[in-house]
Amino acid sequence: MKCVAIDDEPMALEVIKSFCQRVGDIELHTFTNPLAGIDHVKRTHPELLFLDVKMGEVSGVNLAREIPQGTFLVFTTAYAQYAIDGFDLNAVDFLHKPFSFTRFEKAVNKVQQAIRLVNYSAAPPLEGAEITVKVEYKNVTVQLSSILYVQAMDNYVKIFTTDGRTVVTQMSMKSLETMLPEGDFVRVHKSYIVPRHRIESYSRTLLTLTGGTKIPVGRAYADKLTHNT
């Protein structure tokens, strides 16, 4: 992940550099000159920017308005009162100095999650792919691109589609799961499977699909969802 850190305190940048090395897989560029730093950000479009709020006469809040689309922002500052300004600018997180590695890592994880969600939203929605399931005595074809989510109900499985249709088939959740491409669908609960590209946001206990549908996340599936989505 490409990352830039802008702070007029060299020691603060050393802390971020050290923490990035501990996280791993981060290509970091640091700047003590805020104007040179934001110019680099506008030219290179990094995925993540750590930005101090107050750098002498230069306001990080004002610089944040120049950040290009696609660069996720994490504010760093010793002044907690600036947090509201940060979140008004859609900052992913706000690190209050001095912050621990655990807190830093949490902010990085938030950004990585946001990047993955953007990538899945931009992915082609399985156009043309389909599965065939038995409904009573008929074979019914379901387009994978139309699936909103799948729910297990006793000995049946319900496939909910984006057009409001519900397909009910007498088969096990495990059997249906093997019919779905693993890279495009994820089991998030013993009773639920969802298409990855329809996940709008999630936590370890609940996710929201495009359109607002809420789906519970099972404890046994939370780590897989967090690491692979």
Side-chain angles (χ1 to χ4, degrees), residues 45-64:
H45 293 239
E47 286 103 331
L48 169 57
L49 170 63
F50 289 103
L51 181 62
D52 190 15
V53 171
K54 189 172 177 58
M55 295 169 284
E57 298 300 316
V58 179
S59 166
V61 173
N62 290 336
L63 289 184

Side-chain angles (χ1 to χ4, degrees), residues 202-206 216-219 221-227:
Y202 65 88
S203 67
R204 294 183 65 85
T205 58
L206 187 72
V217 175
R219 183 178 301 176
Y221 301 89
D223 287 337
K224 181 179 179 181
L225 176 66
T226 302
H227 293 147

Side-chain angles (χ1 to χ4, degrees), residues 199-214:
I199 299 175
E200 188 172 274
S201 63
Y202 65 88
S203 67
R204 294 183 65 85
T205 58
L206 187 72
L207 65 81
T208 302
L209 300 177
T210 304
T213 301
K214 307 288 185 184

Side-chain angles (χ1 to χ4, degrees), residues 52-94:
D52 190 15
V53 171
K54 189 172 177 58
M55 295 169 284
E57 298 300 316
V58 179
S59 166
V61 173
N62 290 336
L63 289 184
R65 305 182 196 282
E66 302 180 35
I67 296 173
Q69 186 175 2
T71 295
F72 292 94
L73 172 65
V74 173
F75 273 120
T76 63
T77 186
Y79 304 97
Q81 66 266 30
Y82 289 106
I84 294 176
D85 291 332
F87 288 118
D88 283 346
L89 288 165
N90 294 321
V92 175
D93 209 343
F94 185 95

Side-chain angles (χ1 to χ4, degrees), residues 11 42 65 105 107 113 117 128 145 148 172 187 195 206-207:
M11 286 302 297
K42 289 190 286 187
R65 305 182 196 282
E105 187 177 35
Q113 174 183 328
L117 289 175
S145 60
L148 181 60
S172 69
R187 192 164 183 174
L206 187 72
L207 65 81

Side-chain angles (χ1 to χ4, degrees), residues 75-209:
F75 273 120
T76 63
T77 186
Y79 304 97
Q81 66 266 30
Y82 289 106
I84 294 176
D85 291 332
F87 288 118
D88 283 346
L89 288 165
N90 294 321
V92 175
D93 209 343
F94 185 95
L95 294 176
H96 186 204
K97 300 177 184 177
F99 46 84
S100 66
F101 173 72
T102 299
R103 185 65 184 84
F104 176 87
E105 187 177 35
K106 182 178 179 180
V108 172
N109 287 339
K110 284 184 179 181
V111 172
Q112 291 173 332
Q113 174 183 328
I115 291 171
R116 286 192 289 264
L117 289 175
V118 168
N119 290 339
Y120 282 126
S121 297
L126 304 166
E127 289 297 339
E130 60 186 32
I131 58 172
T132 300
V133 297
K134 189 172 289 294
V135 178
E136 295 180 341
Y137 300 103
K138 300 181 294 184
N139 290 322
V140 175
T141 298
V142 179
Q143 298 291 324
L144 296 188
S145 60
S146 73
I147 296 177
L148 181 60
Y149 66 93
V150 177
Q151 181 181 11
M153 301 285 289
D154 296 325
N155 297 323
Y156 293 85
V157 170
K158 288 185 175 183
I159 303 172
F160 294 84
T161 65
T162 54
D163 61 3
R165 187 168 60 117
T166 302
V167 177
V168 182
T169 178
Q170 189 173 9
M171 63 190 306
S172 69
M173 192 68 147
K174 186 174 182 179
S175 296
L176 182 61
E177 188 175 11
T178 62
M179 300 172 66
L180 301 171
E182 184 178 359
D184 298 305
F185 289 81
V186 58
R187 192 164 183 174
V188 299
H189 187 279
K190 66 179 182 179
S191 300
Y192 291 94
I193 296 173
V194 301
R196 293 181 186 273
H197 72 275
R198 296 200 183 279
I199 299 175
E200 188 172 274
S201 63
Y202 65 88
S203 67
R204 294 183 65 85
T205 58
L206 187 72
L207 65 81
T208 302
L209 300 177

